[in-house]
Amino acid sequence: MTPVLEIENLHTEIDGNGPPTRAVDGISLDIRRGETFALVGESGCGKSMTALSIMRLLPEAGRIASGAVRVNGEDLLALPEAAMRDVRGRRIAMIFQEPATSLNAVMTVGRQIEEVLERHLNLSGGPARTRAISLLDAVGVPDAQRRIGEYPFQLSGGLKQRVMIAMALAAEPEILVADEPTTALDVTIQAQVLDLLKKLQVERGMAILLITHDLGIVAGMAQRVAVMYAGEIVEIASREAFFSRAQHPYSRKLFESLPGAARRGAELAVIPGQVPPLNSAFHGCRFADRCDFVHARCREESPGWTALGGEHKVRCHWVEDKLKGSRADSAPASEGAGAVKANPADALTAAPGGAAILLSVRDLKVHFPIRKGVFKSVVGHVKAVDGVSLEVAAGKTLALVGESGCGKTTVGKAILQLIRPTAGEVVFDRVDLTRLRGEALRKRRREFQIIFQDPYASLNPRMRVEEILSEGMSALGLYAGKASLQRRLNELLDQVGLPQAALARYPHEFSGGQRQRIAIARALAVEPRLIICDEPTSALDVSVQAQILNLLARLQRELGLAYLFITHNIAVVEYLAHEVAVMYLGRIVERGSAGEVLGSPRHPYTQALLSAVPSIEADSGRAVIKLEGELPSPVNPPAGCHFHPRCREARPECRATYPGVSQLSPTRQVACWLYSNKV
Amino acid sequence: MPVMLWTDALIFLLLAVVIGYFYYVSRRAHMLATWMRVTESPSGMAALVVLGAFALVGLLDSLHYRPTLDQGDAQGRPVYSVEVLSVLDALAAPLRQRQERTYSAPFDTRAYARETVEVPGEQGAPGTQRREFPRLQYGGAHLGNEAGRERDIVVSGLQGFALAALLWWGLAGVLAAGMARGTSSGAGEVLQRIWRGETRTPWRAVLIALGVLCAIAGPVLAWCTKYHVLGTDKVGQDVLFLALKSVRTGLVIGTLTTLVLMPLAVVAGVTAGYFRGWVDDVVQYVYTTLNSIPGVLLIAASVLLMQVYIDTHPELFPTAVQRADLRLLFLCIILGLTSWTGLARLLRGEVLKLREFEYVQAAQAFGVGHSRILSRHILPNVMHVVLISLVLDFSGLVLAEAVLSYVGVGVDPSMTSFGTMINAARLEMGREPMVWWSLAAAFVFMFVLVLAANLFADAVRDAFDPRVRVAGK
């Protein structure tokens, strides 16, 4: 088969202060008709720049230094800009990551699709409208007739992404470039969108260049995979070869750093260091400084391609040597370094239930009033949290799982009394925090702390690390005195693995992972017993996520911390949670030990949520339970069971009243009519 | 005897605050980096040079004293004149003292109005009267023959220019030598790099701005002792001198108003945004009300009230200058009280956003008090908004002063300002031949000042506004 898209030795540079940044440094690949080609790698590796270079939509400072991009043999880089406009959208279309900012907010979605049709197919008026409606139908937008006249703000995230896809497909392009198309979406919506892409590809025979950092998506979608590192492709393989025997040390590390049930209680592999700055001159292999298998040659000579049979190629001296057999024993010490090491003395493996209850939340409600009119009279409530009960045992981890908008972050903040709950009690160590006021509450604050999602927003950019860390201690009057404060600061930095020199620096001088370490140190500073972790790794790359998860696990072992881990990432839950609570629209639908809930989910929502998570085991045999529709609004949740409009097993009683809690085992509770008679 | 006027004291206080701020900045790497970006903007640096020249004039005009009169009183103690002078007055004494009788055009040697002069009769014959343009008392008085005027202007202009060129070259040399120190390259090499625009700080733009300033100031200095370079006004005062005196008024209005405006806006905006609830309601109510009263009306009413107070308490003011100064200060306060709302609104929005930031919530989770959160987390992170808005407001205030003085509710009529100059010149625009130079001088000075302020404000905004930074990269 001839390739639809060929990229040959593409170099893209971005000018800035000093030498240009070589964001894409000599990439060659080709994509065939009807094929999905995945480009994976961590952020900053040049994946998006590759996509933008193909479209010739580089930022102002960027330019394509050399190379060729051919579509059906025609070199796009040689085309004048006017001709390029016929290519974009018509022959190559692109879907962006953030549907919210990719649509024009002041145009109806129909108009935006018709614009593409007018430009490329000379359709306008009635025919264009009919065509736009059929496109929206094709991408699974319900009630397309009505939706076509709506504005982007009236659509949910998943629908917006579908509209984006409809726009991209409007002129029937040969190639679709999808740059992290589902990263901003929830897992259940992500499953819908990926399914849609697959279906459309089969129908239209498009080639898809899929850019992602999620190996699970790659396993489900791609035929071939290329791994990018520091502007270069380091490994290309078919999906089967890649997932069964990835060769490059970097690819292998990516796999090993993935959390999951299989790695419970073990340290995750981490890739030390960071992606080198792309404006430096490289001698030898770019991965050498972070590689476990590095030897002298790696530092001197840039590795060429080593063919491994089929389409599997890799750029690595170590693999090349191993293949030749000349250095079969070249890495005796490091072979084990990346492998999973079980830790026998691990607290994580201890059975839950034995420890004392540290935090007990009873029937917690947080309602935000909706005010309207001149006198701001209350016309309704957003029931963000509507009767949540949970317990966290000392030294254990409870994972609170749910899609965005289900109220899990609000639960965390209400426990900390950052948002005062509307009703219910939060009993921490036998004291109800909701009744404490002023000084009494302030005294208790040292015992429960929080780590936030975004390490860039959670540190004040105008304070030095020393000030950030000592703020809590001085507010609570701990470690008074210069010498003891200094000792404590040093101890904290040791605990989170940062150098002492960090104290005098400002947050912007650190990478995302290091910033998250500072945030953890800040929370640890006051010696809390419970830390609420609000998606602490979702803004980080896989390998950095592994570092942070390792750190959290170690701190729990050493300091006996309890975690309330708020996340939507099931793999992380599988890795470190003792107990799991699944939340849907302000209420907990299922609660139990990690093994019970993740191993044999009972609530239909939990089942759907777990099955929607893309898995790297390509043939896991799990049938994906597709959820229709989206999370309803918490302003007026559906009557009866909140989940019934999306539930496959909905019965008449589900529509009538909310189900009571059924105790299925000493540790497990489910709120579902299916189990209500089995108590 | 040194006299410290209210506005003088506040100006020097402001200067101290600015110096203190930059000292503070120089100790903090991230703030220094932002300010370094300001210094990398060529237009901003050129504007800074021009602003510096204006500020120098304004500061010289802010050092006041009362000169000692020649004879002491009966006890031999020195007696001070009722006239309050500034250092600028002393330096520009030739300009100040050479007062003609009425209008004269720039560089003219004769008055702009015909007068009846006595012509003595020849050989004892009775004198006759003639209507003619009389020679000026000072302008071009050194010329024996008026025919040599053009030549004299060119020659002394060239002399001044040559001196200025020499000075400029000297400054450039000092700069290059200073930069070359500690590096291996010589001064000449550094100068070449500056000229090719290869330095990080755009010294080329600075030198060009300095050069233009010198090229104008040199000849003007050479001429101003012999001629009235910008002519004279109705009562024969040198217009160049009036324009120089106006600079201080403009600067005082532009800077001191911010001293009043800033605390109000910061306190109101930050508390409204942070505490929300009833505090927010009250602040919003106040500024909405204030905004809906026409500003000029409010200012006129307040200034007239003040004027009544001044007129009924003459014993409080030993000199006329002190009286005028109090009115100026009061005008600043009134302008400040009426114009804080815009900044307060901006700050409220910014703080509403910041208070939801996770680092603020982390501090709340530690039980950190409101005052500490405000001072350590909120204030430092809105200071860039304050700074940008203050620099942008400056030029608006200078223009506002001109408008208010023109309307007659601005500064004291005895105080020179761009507004009073324009007001005095407006009637003469209608006469034939037209007297254009008063208005033109006020216009040019104000235009250059405001343009420089705006260019500098642009550079500051570009450096401090995070969105601009992202777009530029």
Side-chain angles (χ1 to χ4, degrees), chain B residues 253 255-265 290 298-299 328-343 393 397 404:
Chain B
I253 294 271
T255 54
L256 289 195
T257 303
T258 61
L259 269 187
V260 181
L261 176 159
M262 194 175 75
L264 267 177
L290 209 56
L298 204 63
I299 293 166
L328 175 66
L329 179 64
F330 196 71
L331 186 67
C332 291
I333 295 175
I334 291 295
L335 274 173
L337 285 177
T338 51
S339 55
W340 58 272
T341 52
L343 178 57
D393 275 353
L397 289 167
L404 289 174

Short mmCIF file of all heavy atoms in Angstrom, two decimals, chain B residues 253 255-265 290 298-299 328-343 393 397 404:
data_model
loop_
_atom_site.label_atom_id
_atom_site.label_comp_id
_atom_site.label_asym_id
_atom_site.label_seq_id
_atom_site.Cartn_x
_atom_site.Cartn_y
_atom_site.Cartn_z
N ILE B 253 0.48 66.92 39.43
CA ILE B 253 -0.88 66.38 39.25
C ILE B 253 -0.81 64.90 38.88
O ILE B 253 -1.53 64.06 39.44
CB ILE B 253 -1.61 67.16 38.14
CG1 ILE B 253 -1.84 68.59 38.56
CG2 ILE B 253 -2.91 66.46 37.77
CD1 ILE B 253 -3.12 68.84 39.30
N THR B 255 1.52 62.64 39.41
CA THR B 255 2.09 61.67 40.35
C THR B 255 1.40 61.71 41.71
O THR B 255 1.07 60.67 42.27
CB THR B 255 3.59 61.91 40.55
OG1 THR B 255 3.78 63.27 40.94
CG2 THR B 255 4.36 61.64 39.28
N LEU B 256 1.18 62.93 42.24
CA LEU B 256 0.62 62.99 43.61
C LEU B 256 -0.80 62.46 43.65
O LEU B 256 -1.22 61.87 44.64
CB LEU B 256 0.67 64.42 44.13
CG LEU B 256 2.06 64.95 44.47
CD1 LEU B 256 1.96 66.20 45.30
CD2 LEU B 256 2.86 63.90 45.22
N THR B 257 -1.53 62.65 42.56
CA THR B 257 -2.89 62.12 42.54
C THR B 257 -2.85 60.61 42.80
O THR B 257 -3.71 60.08 43.51
CB THR B 257 -3.53 62.41 41.19
OG1 THR B 257 -3.48 63.81 40.98
CG2 THR B 257 -4.97 61.97 41.17
N THR B 258 -1.85 59.95 42.25
CA THR B 258 -1.78 58.51 42.44
C THR B 258 -1.55 58.15 43.90
O THR B 258 -1.95 57.10 44.35
CB THR B 258 -0.65 57.90 41.60
OG1 THR B 258 0.57 58.46 42.04
CG2 THR B 258 -0.85 58.18 40.14
N LEU B 259 -0.87 59.05 44.64
CA LEU B 259 -0.67 58.79 46.07
C LEU B 259 -2.00 58.71 46.80
O LEU B 259 -2.17 57.98 47.76
CB LEU B 259 0.17 59.90 46.69
CG LEU B 259 1.67 59.74 46.71
CD1 LEU B 259 2.30 60.85 47.51
CD2 LEU B 259 2.06 58.39 47.29
N VAL B 260 -2.95 59.51 46.34
CA VAL B 260 -4.28 59.49 46.96
C VAL B 260 -5.08 58.31 46.44
O VAL B 260 -5.75 57.60 47.17
CB VAL B 260 -5.01 60.80 46.63
CG1 VAL B 260 -6.38 60.82 47.28
CG2 VAL B 260 -4.19 61.98 47.06
N LEU B 261 -4.96 58.14 45.11
CA LEU B 261 -5.79 57.17 44.40
C LEU B 261 -5.44 55.74 44.78
O LEU B 261 -6.31 54.91 45.01
CB LEU B 261 -5.57 57.44 42.93
CG LEU B 261 -6.14 56.66 41.77
CD1 LEU B 261 -6.09 57.56 40.56
CD2 LEU B 261 -5.37 55.42 41.49
N MET B 262 -4.11 55.47 44.88
CA MET B 262 -3.67 54.09 45.02
C MET B 262 -4.16 53.42 46.32
O MET B 262 -4.76 52.36 46.25
CB MET B 262 -2.16 54.01 44.90
CG MET B 262 -1.66 52.61 44.70
SD MET B 262 0.10 52.58 44.41
CE MET B 262 0.70 52.88 46.04
N PRO B 263 -3.92 54.04 47.49
CA PRO B 263 -4.38 53.36 48.70
C PRO B 263 -5.88 53.10 48.69
O PRO B 263 -6.34 52.02 49.06
CB PRO B 263 -4.01 54.34 49.82
CG PRO B 263 -3.09 55.30 49.23
CD PRO B 263 -3.29 55.32 47.77
N LEU B 264 -6.63 54.11 48.23
CA LEU B 264 -8.08 53.95 48.17
C LEU B 264 -8.46 52.78 47.29
O LEU B 264 -9.23 51.90 47.69
CB LEU B 264 -8.69 55.22 47.56
CG LEU B 264 -9.13 56.29 48.53
CD1 LEU B 264 -9.62 57.50 47.77
CD2 LEU B 264 -10.25 55.74 49.40
N ALA B 265 -7.90 52.79 46.07
CA ALA B 265 -8.27 51.76 45.10
C ALA B 265 -7.84 50.39 45.61
O ALA B 265 -8.60 49.42 45.51
CB ALA B 265 -7.63 52.06 43.76
N LEU B 290 -20.31 56.99 42.92
CA LEU B 290 -19.30 58.00 42.61
C LEU B 290 -19.13 58.16 41.10
O LEU B 290 -18.97 59.26 40.57
CB LEU B 290 -17.98 57.58 43.25
CG LEU B 290 -17.03 58.69 43.65
CD1 LEU B 290 -17.72 59.64 44.58
CD2 LEU B 290 -15.82 58.08 44.33
N LEU B 298 -18.22 67.53 40.34
CA LEU B 298 -17.74 67.25 41.68
C LEU B 298 -16.46 68.02 41.96
O LEU B 298 -16.29 68.64 43.02
CB LEU B 298 -17.49 65.75 41.80
CG LEU B 298 -17.52 65.14 43.18
CD1 LEU B 298 -18.90 65.29 43.78
CD2 LEU B 298 -17.14 63.69 43.11
N ILE B 299 -15.56 68.01 40.95
CA ILE B 299 -14.28 68.68 41.13
C ILE B 299 -14.51 70.18 41.27
O ILE B 299 -13.95 70.84 42.16
CB ILE B 299 -13.36 68.37 39.95
CG1 ILE B 299 -12.99 66.89 39.98
CG2 ILE B 299 -12.12 69.23 39.99
CD1 ILE B 299 -12.37 66.40 38.71
N LEU B 328 -3.36 73.46 44.65
CA LEU B 328 -2.88 72.39 43.77
C LEU B 328 -3.00 71.03 44.47
O LEU B 328 -3.48 70.05 43.90
CB LEU B 328 -1.42 72.66 43.38
CG LEU B 328 -0.72 71.59 42.57
CD1 LEU B 328 -1.35 71.47 41.20
CD2 LEU B 328 0.76 71.89 42.43
N LEU B 329 -2.55 71.02 45.73
CA LEU B 329 -2.62 69.77 46.49
C LEU B 329 -4.06 69.30 46.61
O LEU B 329 -4.37 68.12 46.44
CB LEU B 329 -2.02 70.00 47.88
CG LEU B 329 -2.04 68.77 48.79
CD1 LEU B 329 -1.17 67.69 48.23
CD2 LEU B 329 -1.59 69.15 50.18
N PHE B 330 -4.93 70.26 46.87
CA PHE B 330 -6.33 69.92 47.04
C PHE B 330 -6.90 69.36 45.73
O PHE B 330 -7.68 68.41 45.74
CB PHE B 330 -7.10 71.16 47.48
CG PHE B 330 -8.44 70.81 48.02
CD1 PHE B 330 -8.56 70.17 49.25
CD2 PHE B 330 -9.58 71.11 47.32
CE1 PHE B 330 -9.80 69.85 49.75
CE2 PHE B 330 -10.82 70.78 47.81
CZ PHE B 330 -10.93 70.15 49.03
N LEU B 331 -6.45 69.95 44.63
CA LEU B 331 -6.90 69.45 43.33
C LEU B 331 -6.47 67.99 43.14
O LEU B 331 -7.24 67.16 42.64
CB LEU B 331 -6.33 70.34 42.22
CG LEU B 331 -6.83 70.03 40.82
CD1 LEU B 331 -8.30 70.36 40.72
CD2 LEU B 331 -6.05 70.83 39.80
N CYS B 332 -5.22 67.70 43.55
CA CYS B 332 -4.74 66.32 43.45
C CYS B 332 -5.63 65.39 44.25
O CYS B 332 -6.00 64.31 43.80
CB CYS B 332 -3.31 66.20 44.00
SG CYS B 332 -2.09 67.00 43.00
N ILE B 333 -5.95 65.83 45.48
CA ILE B 333 -6.77 64.97 46.33
C ILE B 333 -8.13 64.74 45.71
O ILE B 333 -8.63 63.61 45.64
CB ILE B 333 -6.89 65.60 47.74
CG1 ILE B 333 -5.52 65.64 48.40
CG2 ILE B 333 -7.89 64.83 48.61
CD1 ILE B 333 -5.49 66.35 49.72
N ILE B 334 -8.72 65.80 45.18
CA ILE B 334 -10.05 65.67 44.58
C ILE B 334 -10.00 64.75 43.37
O ILE B 334 -10.82 63.84 43.21
CB ILE B 334 -10.57 67.06 44.16
CG1 ILE B 334 -10.86 67.89 45.39
CG2 ILE B 334 -11.82 66.92 43.32
CD1 ILE B 334 -11.98 67.35 46.22
N LEU B 335 -8.98 64.96 42.53
CA LEU B 335 -8.85 64.09 41.35
C LEU B 335 -8.68 62.64 41.79
O LEU B 335 -9.26 61.73 41.21
CB LEU B 335 -7.65 64.52 40.51
CG LEU B 335 -7.90 65.62 39.48
CD1 LEU B 335 -6.58 66.04 38.85
CD2 LEU B 335 -8.85 65.14 38.42
N GLY B 336 -7.88 62.45 42.84
CA GLY B 336 -7.66 61.09 43.35
C GLY B 336 -8.95 60.48 43.86
O GLY B 336 -9.26 59.32 43.58
N LEU B 337 -9.74 61.29 44.59
CA LEU B 337 -10.97 60.76 45.17
C LEU B 337 -11.99 60.40 44.10
O LEU B 337 -12.84 59.54 44.30
CB LEU B 337 -11.58 61.79 46.12
CG LEU B 337 -10.88 61.95 47.46
CD1 LEU B 337 -11.53 63.05 48.29
CD2 LEU B 337 -10.93 60.64 48.24
N THR B 338 -11.91 61.07 42.98
CA THR B 338 -12.91 60.78 41.95
C THR B 338 -12.44 59.74 40.94
O THR B 338 -13.25 59.25 40.17
CB THR B 338 -13.29 62.05 41.17
OG1 THR B 338 -12.10 62.67 40.72
CG2 THR B 338 -14.08 63.01 42.02
N SER B 339 -11.15 59.42 40.93
CA SER B 339 -10.71 58.52 39.85
C SER B 339 -10.16 57.19 40.34
O SER B 339 -9.53 56.47 39.58
CB SER B 339 -9.67 59.24 38.98
OG SER B 339 -8.62 59.69 39.78
N TRP B 340 -10.44 56.82 41.61
CA TRP B 340 -9.92 55.53 42.08
C TRP B 340 -10.78 54.37 41.62
O TRP B 340 -10.40 53.21 41.72
CB TRP B 340 -9.81 55.52 43.59
CG TRP B 340 -11.09 55.77 44.32
CD1 TRP B 340 -11.58 56.99 44.67
CD2 TRP B 340 -12.05 54.82 44.76
NE1 TRP B 340 -12.78 56.85 45.30
CE2 TRP B 340 -13.10 55.52 45.38
CE3 TRP B 340 -12.13 53.43 44.72
CZ2 TRP B 340 -14.22 54.90 45.92
CZ3 TRP B 340 -13.24 52.80 45.27
CH2 TRP B 340 -14.28 53.53 45.86
N THR B 341 -11.98 54.68 41.13
CA THR B 341 -12.94 53.60 40.89
C THR B 341 -12.49 52.63 39.80
O THR B 341 -12.70 51.43 39.93
CB THR B 341 -14.29 54.19 40.50
OG1 THR B 341 -14.08 55.10 39.44
CG2 THR B 341 -14.94 54.91 41.66
N GLY B 342 -11.86 53.15 38.76
CA GLY B 342 -11.45 52.26 37.68
C GLY B 342 -10.47 51.20 38.15
O GLY B 342 -10.66 50.00 37.92
N LEU B 343 -9.44 51.65 38.89
CA LEU B 343 -8.44 50.71 39.39
C LEU B 343 -9.07 49.76 40.40
O LEU B 343 -8.78 48.55 40.40
CB LEU B 343 -7.28 51.48 40.01
CG LEU B 343 -6.16 50.64 40.62
CD1 LEU B 343 -5.57 49.69 39.61
CD2 LEU B 343 -5.06 51.52 41.19
N ASP B 393 -2.39 55.88 33.93
CA ASP B 393 -3.19 56.99 34.43
C ASP B 393 -2.46 58.32 34.37
O ASP B 393 -3.08 59.36 34.23
CB ASP B 393 -3.58 56.74 35.90
CG ASP B 393 -4.82 55.89 36.00
OD1 ASP B 393 -5.41 55.65 34.94
OD2 ASP B 393 -5.20 55.49 37.11
N LEU B 397 -4.05 62.07 33.69
CA LEU B 397 -4.18 63.09 34.73
C LEU B 397 -3.57 64.41 34.27
O LEU B 397 -4.10 65.48 34.55
CB LEU B 397 -3.53 62.61 36.02
CG LEU B 397 -4.30 61.49 36.71
CD1 LEU B 397 -3.47 60.85 37.78
CD2 LEU B 397 -5.59 62.03 37.28
N LEU B 404 -9.16 71.03 33.23
CA LEU B 404 -9.78 71.68 34.39
C LEU B 404 -9.33 73.13 34.52
O LEU B 404 -10.13 74.02 34.80
CB LEU B 404 -9.42 70.91 35.67
CG LEU B 404 -10.10 69.56 35.78
CD1 LEU B 404 -9.59 68.80 36.99
CD2 LEU B 404 -11.61 69.74 35.88
#
